[in-house]
Structures are given as C-alpha cells and as structure tokens.
Amino acid sequence: MTATVGRQAQAAARANDVWKVYGSGEAQVVALRGVSAEFEQGRFTAIMGPSGSGKSTLMHCLAGLDSVTRGTVSIGDTTVTGLGDAGLTKLRRDKVGFIFQQFNLLPTLSAKENILLPLSIAGRKPDPAWYDIVIDTVGLRDRLDHRPAQLSGGQQQRVACARALVSRPEVIFADEPTGNLDSRAGAEVLNFLRNSVREHGQTIVMVTHDPTAAAYADRVVFLADGQIVSELIEPTADTVLDTMKKLDASAEVNG
Amino acid sequence: MFRATLKSLLGRKLRLTLSGLAVVLGVMFVSGAFVLTDTLGRTFDAIFADAYEGVDVNVAAKPKIAMSEMEGEQAPPPFPASTVEKVRAVPGVAEATGVVAIDGARLIGSNGKAVASFGPPQLGENWTGETDLIQLREGRGAKAADEIVINKGLADAGKVKLGDRVGVLTPLEPKQQFTIVGIFGYSGGRDSIGGSNEIMFTTPVAQRLMLGEPDTFNSVSVKAADGVSPESLRDSVASAVGGGYDVKTGKQLSEEAAAGFKEALSFFNRILLGFAAVALLVGTFLILNTFSIIVAQRTRELALMRAIGASRRQMIGSVVLEAIAVGLIASVLGLGAGIGIGALLAWAFGNLAGGLTLAGLGIPASAVISAFAVGLVITVVAALLPALRASRIPPIAAMQDVATPDRPLTRITVTGGVVSAVGAVLLFLGLSGNAGGNTLVTILGGVLFAFIGVALLTPLISRPVVSLLGAIFAWSVPGKLGRLNSGRNPRRTAITAAALMVGIALVTGVTVILDSAKSSISGLAQDTIKAELVIAGVQSGPRPPTFDPAVLEKAAAIPGVQLVDGEYGDLAVVGGERTWVAASSDDAALRQIFGVQPTAGDIDRLGPNQMLVSTDTAEDRGLSVGSTVPVQLARGEPSTYTVTGIYGSSQLTNGVILPAEAARDFAIPQPIQGFIQLAPGIRVADVQPQVEALLADSPEVSVADRDAFIEQQAGQVDGLLTMIQILLALAIVIAVLGIVNTLALSVLERTRELGLLRAIGLRRAQTMRMITVEAVVISVFGALLGVVVGAGLGAAVVEALKDEGITDLVLPWTQIGVALGLAAIVGVVAAILPAARAARINVLGAIAHD
C-alpha cells in the first residue's frame, strides 16, 4: 500500500519502491520490500513498527546514510540514490538534519559550539534571528557555554535538536529521540519538535516505537516486515496503540 | 579468564603490533649487539690462533710503554740478535727464528696514495721463508735490499703486481722505493689475516726501517722439538734468556691478543646497548600508553567481569598476561631481527676491515637471555600501571554510560616535580664532579630521572602549550576540532609526546655539546694558532698520518717562510704515569705559533734532557722549575729530565713538552703535523704550491691554509655527530609509531563521534585534516619539549665542561628548526593511516556503534 495522504503539500522526502536486502543466499534478509512513501513539507511524520519491521532502515535510506538495493529515494528535488560520498556529504550538510537516540554531541565543544557545528563545517554563518529563535525555543540560553558532560540528558537532546534545526534543513530525521530520556524530558523534546513544525514549518520524520511519542506527530506510518501496512492522521496515543496491537496480532497470526 | 584474555588479545592485533614493534626494535638492538660481539670475538679468536699457528713459544722484550688496543699497536722493543742464539741453544728447541714485526709499514698504491687501514695493523717484517701459514703465490722471497714480498690482500688493495716498483713509508724512515719480488697468501687460500697488511723486507732492511738498530729483532719465534710441550719449553726458554723478556706460548699470545681485542669490542657493545636502552625507554612510554588506552576502552567489559565475580587480582592478571604475551612475541621477533642485524653488522665490519673471514654466526646465550629478559620485563613493567587502573574499575561502571571524568593532575604533577628534582640533583652532582667516582652512572641516572620527571609533568604543560600550538590551526573547523581533540586527554597526549621528546632531547643535547666543543676549539685555534699553512692528514686507523721530516727543512728554505715547526707526539711514562707528550722541531714555535705564555722559567729554548710542563701538569704533579722527572720513551733507556720552564695551559698543547731530540725515541719519530708561518706581506697562495710539491713523497698528508685546517680538525666531530644522530633516529622512529598508535586508538575510540561529524556534513578531506592537525600538534609539542629539555641538558654539560675549555655555548638553531619542521612532517606522516581509517568510517555503522 502506498501512503499518499496530504497531497496538497509538496514532498520533502520521497521513497519510490525501495528495496533493501542484506546479505545473500541463505543468510539473505529483506529489510524493505518495495516501500513507497512521501513525507510532506511542514509536517511531523512518525514511522512506527515492531522491532525488525524495517523502520530504522527506511529512515537510514531516506537520509542517505544507507544505500538502497532497488528503487529511488529523493530529498526535495535531489535524487539521493546514486550519489557518491561527496554528494551525500553535501546533501547531509545542506538538506538534512539528524537527531539521534544517543544525543551524539561532541564532548570537546560547548553547547553553543555543538549547535553551530554543522554551519561551521559548511562554512556558513548562522542567521542571527533564526539562531535566537532556536535557542529560545529550546530554552538553553543560560546553558550555552556548558560542555555536554555538564548537561542533563534532556538538555543534551535539546542541544542536539537545536543543532539539527539551526541550519534549517529540508528535513530532520529523528531516530528514537526520546529513547534515552525519562518521560518528562521526553515530552519536552517532543513538544519542542512539534512546535518547530507548527510554528516554523520544519519537516520532521521521526522513528519511534513509543505510541506516546508517535501521538505528537501529524501522521503515523506503520511498517511491518519491510512494508507499509497502515497509517494514521492526527493520531492519539490510544489510536496508535490500537493500531500497534492489531499489527502485533496479525503478525502473530501470520507468524 | 585466560581464554578471555587471549581472545581480547587476538581481537586487537593491530594496536598490539604497533606497541609490540617498539619492544621488537629495542630487543633487536640488545640481541644484535651480543650477536655481533660474539661473532666478531670468535672471528678474532680464530684470526689470532692462525697468526700464532706454528709458534710454540714466542720471546719478546718487555715493552717500555704498555699500550691498550684502543691506543694503538703494541711495539715490543728490539733486542740483540745474540738472544736468538741463546734461545736456539735451549734444549728442546727445534727451530728459533729472529723476527722483526712492527706496525706502520705503509705501501703506496698505484694511485699514489698510501693504502689505509681502519684498524688492523700494517706490519713491516723480515722475510724468513715460507711456513705452514705463509705460502708464496707468485715470485720468490726477498734477497736484495730493495726487494719486498707482500701479502695478496695488500697487493689487491694497492692494485700493484709482481715486479712493480713501489714506495713504502715506514715509521723510522720516509718513503723508499722497492721492487715487489713475491706475493704470498696464507693457508686455507686466504689473502690476509684479519685484514692486516704485511710487507716483508730482507732482515737487515727490516731491522733498519722498522727497529732502527742493526742486528736486532723484536721477537723470537720458537718451534719445539718433537715430544716437548710448549709449556715446558716456555719455562726453560724463560730461564735461559733471563728477566726483561716476556716468554709465552703461542696459545697464550693468541689468547692475550684476542682478549685485548675483545676489550675494544666490549666498548662497542656498550655503545650499542646504550642505544638499545634509549629505544627501550621510548618503547616503554609507547606500551604504557597502549595499555592505558586499551584499559580505558574496555572499561565496560572489565566492569562487567568484575560484576560477574572476577577479583581485582584477576583483573590485574588479565592485563599482565596480555603484556606477557606481547612481550614474548616481541622478544622472539626482536631476537630474530637482532640476529639478522648482528650478522649484517659483522659482515659490514668484515668488509670494512679488509675482507675478514668471519667465524660462523653465533647466537650466544647472553643474546637469548637478554632478549627475553628485556622484552618481558619492559612490557610487563609498562603494563603494570594500566593493570592497576583496570583493577580499580568499579563493577557499577558496567551499568553506567562509560564516563571517563577528567582525573585531577595534582598527583601526577607532584610526582613529576619530585622525580624531576631528583634528576636535577643527580645531574648537578654528576656534572660538578661530586658523585664520588660514579660520575657517568650519576649523570645517566640524572638524565633518565629528568626524562621521566618531565614526562610526568607533561600533562600539566600540555594544556597551555597545546592550545597555543593549536591556535595556529584554529582557522578552520577541522583544525579546531583536531586541536580540541589533542587537548582532550592530557595524559595520552603527554605520553605520546614524551616518547618523541626523549629522542629529540638526546639528539639536541648531544648536538649542543659537540657543537659547543667544536666552536670553542676552533675559536681557540683561530685566536691562537699563528701559522698561515698547516701540513696534516686525516687519521683513519690507530696510527696518525706522518710525513718526511726533511720536508720541514726544505719548507724553511722557501723564500717568505719565517718559521716552520713539526709536531711530534707519543705516549710516554713520565714520572711513573702514562702521559701524552709532544715535541716541536723548533723551540720557538710554542710561543710564536701556539701563543703559549711562560709562567716560570724559560720556554724558548729546550736543551737535551730538559722539559716544559703546563701549569696544570705542574700543579697536578707538584713540579716546579728545576724538578727532575724520570721519563721512559717508547724506545731507548729511561732517562731523567729537568723541568726548565712552565707555560700557561692551553687546549692546543699537551701537558708535557720534550726537546726535539727526544722525538727520535718516539714510537713514531716522524712529524704528525707541520705549521708554517709566513713573513708579513707574503701571500699564502704563493707558498702553498711549493710546500705541496715537497709533500710528493708523503702521500698521507697535505698542506692547507689555517682555516681549512681548523675546519678539517673540527670537522672530525661531525662524523661522530652523524653517527649518534642516525642511531638516535631509531628512538624517533619508535616515537612516530607511538603517535600512529595513539591516533589509531583515538580514532577507534571516537568512531561514533566521527560518524556524527560525517553525518552532519564533514567531508572526507576535512575528517583527514582534523586527524592530521591532532597528530601535528602532538608531535610538534613533543619536539618542542625535546628541544627545550635537550638544550637544557646540553647547556648544563657545557657549563660543567667550562674548565675543560668548552667556553662557547652553541645552540644549534638550524637543527632545532629542522627538528620542529620534521616533527610537523612526522605528524602528517603518522596521521596518514589513522586519518584514512577515520575518513573511511561507515557513517551508519559508526552511529549505530556501541
């Protein structure tokens, strides 16, 4: 099934019949089986699915971190499939932002330096107004000179979010951003992500297995066995949970 | 536990290879030194055994001046031919042959140059016919006064053949012409024995040219009759000739000769071991660092072990076990490499010495034992600290995120301060001569402590210095990241840099000392030697080059020449002490050419049996004008000299000066150097060619103007310096391995971080630049430390040697600049592999990396 909801918005990221196969022969694992999906601009999309459903693989392929076996992936008007390392680096530099489960901040740099790192690597100056907005939104103004080791997990993840936002990428990919946080810190980060979509038109694609986290999104895409099996618009934690249960049940029946 | 250790060992082959390599190199030096000295030792045993083959008993007069192998060839004094008759009459003697054999007969080859020796003697002998050992290859024995027989090796070296008319220089006479009537070889088809050259004259000519007295010999070679043992014959010969003679069996002689040679070899051995020690010191730093990093990286794994019940002792055991395994493997490899190097050096030595027939390659037990002892001990000692640290990891660390908080540097800094202070005190004691006989040990200990102390202080120093150095690179983002990374773990950076420091400090220190010495001596020579032209040659073996004394008179007759002085030198026994003495052909030279000033008595004239002493010598021996001193020269009877003048000490003159007449009894009664002073207004270029023409028959020397001469003499230091630098380069190579190692481990440790940087847009080239900056900062920091410490040590030694005449402190700025520049290049080179590895990191894999 192809997820096509929200045609009125232009796609920020698109997967077209994407296959991902690991290994060969007996050890062959098919992670994605012909996934086609569009992720609209200015929307917050969650990708959900049980472990092994291929949700992380899909995100890695979309972000150009992993290559696809068949099919094409594009970000904005750039076709990711077939790009070399230099092209991929440029893509990551200019069009994509990342938020990881493990925060992944550089311990040697202060919070501010971490936030500005993608821009400095690209040799660009931050837009001061936007930078101020980002800093205020994440609420870290008084922590800017601290090293990551001096920040709490939630604060570190907010730094990571700010780092992804500050270069205004076409799309931000978040991989279980609340996986390492307690529920309160997690809620803060999710609120913050949702606001950046609602107020600033940022596009975010988030992989999660937590129904509560998924409920912050505008849309949830469900994956199972490497295929898109369902989706929800304007989800709530309960509807997400129900869908998951159904998926688990059908998986059990099938399995 | 054992299994787990071995598994983790095999899992980290690369980093252990790198750290093991340092041990391999150190062990290689140690075992190579032993293999080399053993092989050469046995080679010389065989050579001397051959040389005295067929000699049952040898009779020689007791030498007047005992010489060691390092000082030159022993020349037994001549005795009358009647002694040979006396020996022949002893019952049990089958054959007694009077032998003349003295070092210093030099053949002038077909290229007009004297055939040089780099150590083995060049014997002038009398032809006594073929023996078991000596067999004519071509021609016949020497019969007429102008005939000689030479060995095949010499004929090849000089490119001369049977029937050639050749010149020969001898210690007592200038060049003379001879015809080669025979060429001989030795039993077993050899062309020379141990690279020595032999020229055999008729007996009267040999006596005149080599001994200076007709009808004398300097040894009697005795063959025992059948059934008479050499030992009993020795005793009966000894009682027949009486005291004043050394009577020894051939076996004794060959053993003594070999022992003397081995003493010289052991000196060589000690030098090699010294360099091995440096290599191992640097290697220790490297191993310490590797194990520390491995322990830090395995914190989680080790904590897990603790959590599931491993004891602290087991933790230490597991790290030490790993060290033992590395040490063992490195020792085996090092031993193998050492045997190879030893064999290679022995071969090179054999070739240099003129085609030595090497004894079979031997692997002495000392090489094997020292290889394993050194390899194991060094590795285990270096791993001990990391092992202790591993044992202190709390089990809870397994459950937490791996956090390596910055440990405070207070303790390490205090320890470093104390160790440095101990080093400074030892250095001070050693250099000021208050060490009570153990000066060298104290100084070396001081240097070692200073190095370790500075290494311990390095983490503290590294912060400001590294950030300062890094500021140079901070203009780019990768540069800034690299700088921050190098300041990230001060201990790791410090040890890595300290390893480089040791090599560079030693090179710098030695250069400071030698350059200062060179500059001081040439400065002094510039200031004091008042001679426009100097006749001298470059010494290659134990014997200095000489020239015909007649040149001196002829040079004095050249118009425009004001003063000509020939300088003679020898070892003599003066007042019971072995002392280097000098004699000048012109008494006025001392004051007019060397600018020496009298402090007592008259130094301008020196009659027979009168001597001059320097103020230092006078003070040491309690001499004053009018004192009488017994003097024994290399030749002649002991006689008594009277001190008639005392002169101010100078670096350029010996402490004792004898009259020109005394030089006739020197072992080398020919001038070694000549100084020519020109009248005012005479151009050097006008006189120099005329002097050059006079030297046509003295091919070992040449005439140079004063500056060229000083340059040439001071330049002898350069060869030594180059050799030391080459050997110390090894320590620097090991340090470079250390940088590669540290970087490789850091890259591994920061895989996730590198992945992130790549994920947010760092290009491959930028990643490589980041790692390179880190490497360059570390290596330049190490070089900077080395230069500072080395210059400090060198300056301290120069200061201590002020009284010895080293008055100028010369800091080799060019060399320091080169060292820093090289360090930057070294950093770039060391970064190649780790940087390539970092750039190749799979972004996805790195982020998922746990």
Side-chain angles (χ1 to χ4, degrees):
Chain A
M1 136 170 211
T2 307
T4 50
V5 178
R7 276 207 184 276
Q8 73 278 10
Q10 209 195 327
R14 184 184 292 120
N16 191 8
D17 191 26
V18 167
W19 287 73
K20 179 70 191 176
V21 182
Y22 295 107
S24 60
E26 294 272 315
Q28 197 175 58
V29 176
V30 182
L32 297 176
R33 305 169 180 272
V35 174
S36 294
E38 287 190 349
F39 300 90
E40 306 82 4
Q41 263 180 6
R43 301 203 54 177
F44 186 178
T45 311
I47 302 177
M48 283 204 74
S51 334
S53 61
K55 57 185 189 300
S56 286
T57 307
L58 176 61
M59 195 203 82
H60 291 150
C61 289
L62 283 171
L65 291 174
D66 208 348
S67 61
V68 299
T69 311
R70 192 137 53 86
T72 52
V73 169
S74 52
I75 303 254
D77 44 17
T78 310
T79 307
V80 177
T81 318
L83 283 180
D85 181 73
L88 286 173
T89 305
K90 192 165 167 10
L91 176 88
R92 292 197 293 261
R93 194 181 261 195
D94 300 333
K95 305 207 163 169
V96 177
F98 290 102
I99 301 168
F100 303 98
Q101 181 177 1
Q102 308 278 7
F103 321 145
N104 278 343
L105 301 178
L106 285 200
T108 50
L109 302 179
S110 68
K112 181 179 175 181
E113 287 169 323
N114 264 296
I115 293 171
L116 291 176
L117 188 61
L119 288 175
S120 353
I121 287 176
R124 286 188 299 181
K125 288 251 175 294
D127 169 359
W130 175 239
Y131 171 75
D132 278 336
I133 294 171
V134 170
I135 296 301
D136 289 332
T137 328
V138 293
L140 283 168
R141 195 165 282 285
D142 54 337
R143 292 264 189 274
L144 284 178
D145 292 329
H146 288 49
R147 292 284 168 88
Q150 298 163 307
L151 299 173
S152 72
Q155 287 167 335
Q156 288 190 48
Q157 193 61 306
R158 272 147 58 196
V159 171
C161 292
R163 179 178 68 192
L165 278 168
V166 78
S167 55
R168 305 189 102 152
E170 231 153 274
V171 53
I172 291 176
F173 292 100
D175 189 0
E176 303 270 12
T178 55
N180 266 8
L181 299 176
D182 61 45
S183 55
R184 213 180 117 237
E188 267 173 26
V189 166
L190 288 164
N191 261 319
F192 163 69
L193 290 178
R194 184 167 63 190
N195 289 345
S196 65
V197 171
R198 298 217 170 131
E199 291 164 23
H200 307 298
Q202 182 63 54
T203 308
I204 296 178
V205 176
M206 171 177 79
V207 167
T208 183
H209 63 267
D210 173 10
T212 324
Y216 281 82
D218 299 322
R219 168 187 166 211
V220 186
V221 176
F222 293 90
L223 249 75
D225 289 332
Q227 285 172 307
I228 292 177
V229 288
S230 177
E231 73 174 298
L232 282 172
I233 307 291
E234 302 297 331
T236 64
D238 292 337
T239 57
V240 173
L241 201 56
D242 285 344
T243 315
M244 287 294 286
K245 277 183 185 155
K246 274 186 225 152
L247 285 180
D248 283 347
S250 73
E252 269 163 36
V253 171
N254 291 341
Chain B
M1 199 73 206
F2 183 73
R3 265 184 106 81
T5 304
L6 285 185
K7 279 221 164 121
S8 74
L9 189 68
L10 289 174
R12 288 184 305 277
K13 283 179 224 112
L14 179 72
R15 54 191 104 155
L16 290 169
T17 307
L18 283 169
S19 59
L21 209 51
V23 188
V24 170
L25 288 176
V27 170
M28 178 185 86
F29 248 68
V30 173
S31 51
F34 281 110
V35 168
L36 174 65
T37 44
D38 177 75
T39 305
L40 289 185
R42 282 180 305 107
T43 301
F44 281 94
D45 280 347
I47 286 170
F48 291 119
D50 281 348
Y52 293 101
E53 182 190 296
V55 176
D56 288 327
V57 171
N58 185 77
V59 182
K62 284 203 161 70
K64 307 214 162 160
I65 315 282
M67 292 250 235
S68 75
E69 183 69 37
M70 303 295 287
E71 287 163 338
E73 294 292 331
Q74 185 78 61
F79 50 77
S82 57
T83 306
V84 183
E85 296 308 320
K86 241 187 257 173
V87 173
R88 198 167 285 150
V90 174
V93 170
E95 235 181 285
T97 315
V99 175
V100 177
I102 299 275
D103 181 31
R106 289 144 291 162
L107 182 89
I108 295 172
S110 60
N111 61 356
K113 291 204 169 94
V115 175
S117 153
F118 293 93
Q122 302 191 297
L123 297 171
E125 295 164 89
N126 57 334
W127 174 255
T128 56
E130 285 187 280
T131 62
D132 291 346
L133 180 66
I134 293 174
Q135 293 148 6
L136 275 172
R137 297 258 180 95
E138 304 174 64
R140 54 171 175 84
K143 285 180 188 154
D146 71 337
E147 292 177 350
I148 53 168
V149 181
I150 62 174
N151 67 315
K152 181 77 166 69
L154 177 58
D156 290 346
K159 297 197 172 62
V160 293
K161 56 186 192 308
L162 198 68
D164 279 1
R165 194 85 183 140
V166 293
V168 175
L169 305 172
T170 56
L172 304 182
E173 302 273 348
K175 185 175 123 176
Q176 315 227 339
Q177 294 289 332
F178 294 91
T179 306
I180 301 173
V181 296
I183 293 176
F184 65 91
Y186 304 87
S187 58
R190 290 165 298 170
D191 294 343
S192 98
I193 289 190
S196 55
N197 297 327
E198 296 185 59
I199 300 177
M200 297 189 175
F201 310 93
T202 59
T203 303
V205 173
Q207 287 166 340
R208 178 167 59 85
L209 295 180
M210 305 309 298
L211 299 176
E213 289 169 56
D215 235 17
T216 54
F217 293 99
N218 70 339
S219 70
V220 185
S221 163
V222 181
K223 262 205 150 147
D226 285 344
V228 180
S229 81
E231 284 74 20
S232 65
L233 186 61
R234 170 191 62 198
D235 297 341
S236 43
V237 170
S239 57
V241 294
Y245 287 91
D246 284 328
V247 182
K248 287 170 181 160
T249 61
K251 192 162 169 265
Q252 256 180 316
L253 271 182
S254 79
E255 278 168 8
E256 274 174 25
F261 195 82
K262 280 179 186 164
E263 204 179 291
L265 266 185
S266 79
F267 176 74
F268 192 51
N269 196 14
R270 274 200 287 275
I271 293 179
L272 284 179
L273 290 179
F275 286 106
V278 173
L280 287 167
L281 175 65
V282 175
T284 310
F285 284 115
L286 185 45
I287 297 162
L288 173 66
N289 217 15
T290 309
F291 276 93
S292 300
I293 299 174
I294 291 174
V295 166
Q297 284 178 344
R298 284 168 61 202
T299 303
R300 250 193 169 169
E301 183 191 325
L302 292 168
L304 184 70
M305 296 256 210
R306 292 277 280 136
I308 60 173
S311 69
R312 286 188 58 173
R313 181 178 300 199
Q314 277 173 310
M315 305 309 297
I316 296 179
S318 98
V319 176
V320 169
L321 193 67
E322 205 168 307
I324 289 174
V326 172
L328 266 180
I329 296 168
S331 300
V332 171
L333 294 178
L335 180 61
I339 293 169
I341 285 284
L344 192 74
L345 284 176
W347 174 80
F349 186 93
N351 270 5
L352 195 71
L356 277 188
T357 316
L358 288 179
L361 183 68
I363 303 162
S366 57
V368 179
I369 294 168
S370 61
F372 282 98
V374 163
L376 276 180
V377 168
I378 291 283
T379 321
V380 171
V381 164
L384 224 48
L385 265 180
L388 276 177
R389 202 168 303 145
S391 75
R392 295 210 183 103
I393 296 172
I396 189 74
M399 286 59 158
Q400 292 168 336
D401 242 353
V402 185
T404 32
D406 281 356
R407 279 171 299 147
L409 297 174
T410 328
R411 229 171 66 191
I412 195 169
T413 304
V414 170
T415 318
V418 171
V419 175
S420 305
V422 170
V425 168
L426 284 178
L427 273 176
F428 177 77
L429 283 179
L431 292 176
S432 62
N434 288 325
N438 292 322
T439 312
L440 188 65
V441 175
T442 315
I443 291 178
L444 289 181
V447 171
L448 182 69
F449 270 91
F451 278 147
I452 295 174
V454 172
L456 290 172
L457 286 176
T458 312
L460 189 75
I461 311 168
S462 81
R463 283 197 173 146
V465 177
V466 163
S467 67
L468 205 69
L469 276 180
I472 305 168
F473 303 101
W475 45 266
S476 71
V477 178
K480 188 182 171 202
L481 291 172
R483 186 200 91 197
L484 288 171
N485 282 339
S486 53
R488 191 156 167 176
N489 191 328
R491 284 158 207 262
R492 194 182 295 178
T493 303
I495 295 179
T496 312
L500 188 60
M501 170 193 77
V502 173
I504 295 207
L506 287 174
V507 171
T508 310
V510 169
T511 311
V512 167
I513 296 167
L514 290 182
D515 276 4
S516 298
K518 192 171 137 183
S519 152
S520 305
I521 289 167
S522 41
L524 188 67
Q526 292 280 9
D527 291 347
T528 48
I529 294 182
K530 293 188 181 54
E532 284 74 15
L533 288 169
V534 182
I535 300 170
V538 175
Q539 185 167 350
S540 63
R543 161 177 289 272
T546 57
F547 60 94
D548 184 351
V551 169
L552 297 171
E553 282 161 42
K554 290 180 194 157
I558 296 173
V561 170
Q562 186 168 298
L563 182 65
V564 175
D565 171 48
E567 286 291 313
Y568 301 81
D570 199 7
L571 194 60
V573 176
V574 178
E577 275 182 61
R578 282 151 35 95
T579 313
W580 287 99
V581 299
S584 305
S585 66
D586 192 317
D587 295 336
L590 194 58
R591 204 203 269 259
Q592 288 184 26
I593 289 180
F594 297 108
V596 169
Q597 295 301 319
T599 57
D602 177 10
I603 67 163
D604 294 323
R605 263 167 305 279
L606 204 50
N609 283 44
Q610 294 183 337
M611 68 192 273
L612 305 178
V613 294
S614 69
T615 44
D616 284 354
T617 311
E619 201 175 304
D620 285 353
R621 308 208 178 173
L623 298 176
S624 56
V625 173
S627 305
T628 55
V629 187
V631 174
Q632 171 66 63
L633 298 173
R635 259 193 291 273
E637 295 308 310
S639 57
T640 303
Y641 280 71
T642 309
V643 176
T644 55
I646 297 175
Y647 56 89
S649 296
S650 151
Q651 297 301 320
L652 298 177
T653 51
N654 282 339
V656 176
I657 294 176
L658 300 180
E661 294 81 10
R664 275 189 230 126
D665 283 333
F666 282 7
I668 302 170
Q670 294 186 56
I672 295 163
Q673 287 177 343
F675 295 87
I676 300 173
Q677 198 176 70
L678 304 182
I682 301 296
R683 285 184 29 218
V684 170
D686 292 337
V687 180
Q688 191 166 352
Q690 301 182 55
V691 180
E692 228 159 67
L694 294 178
L695 294 173
D697 283 344
S698 302
E700 289 182 309
V701 296
S702 60
V703 60
D705 63 31
R706 196 188 60 163
D707 290 345
F709 165 72
I710 292 171
E711 186 92 344
Q712 179 200 54
Q713 295 295 309
Q716 292 180 359
V717 170
D718 292 342
L720 179 68
L721 190 59
T722 310
M723 203 185 78
I724 293 175
Q725 282 172 342
I726 289 172
L727 283 165
L728 286 176
L730 183 81
I732 295 174
V733 168
I734 296 178
V736 173
L737 290 180
I739 298 175
V740 176
N741 202 15
T742 302
L743 283 179
L745 293 173
S746 298
V747 165
L748 218 61
E749 204 174 53
R750 298 182 203 139
T751 302
R752 177 195 285 272
E753 225 174 280
L754 288 162
L756 164 85
L757 283 166
R758 296 275 290 131
I760 61 173
L762 200 68
R763 278 196 306 266
R764 282 205 167 131
Q766 289 177 310
T767 314
M768 294 182 75
R769 202 186 315 156
M770 177 177 84
I771 307 285
T772 306
V773 165
E774 183 174 353
V776 170
V777 166
I778 293 177
S779 60
V780 172
F781 174 51
L784 208 58
L785 273 180
V787 163
V788 170
V789 171
L793 288 175
V797 172
V798 169
E799 180 65 31
L801 292 178
K802 215 164 206 164
D803 294 342
E804 307 289 324
I806 301 184
T807 45
D808 297 359
L809 174 62
V810 179
L811 291 179
W813 292 114
T814 333
Q815 202 237 345
I816 288 174
V818 168
L820 294 178
L822 267 183
I825 296 173
V826 156
V828 173
V829 172
I832 292 175
L833 278 178
R837 195 173 176 153
R840 272 205 313 271
I841 275 177
N842 175 308
V843 180
L844 182 62
I847 292 169
H849 177 87
D850 203 5

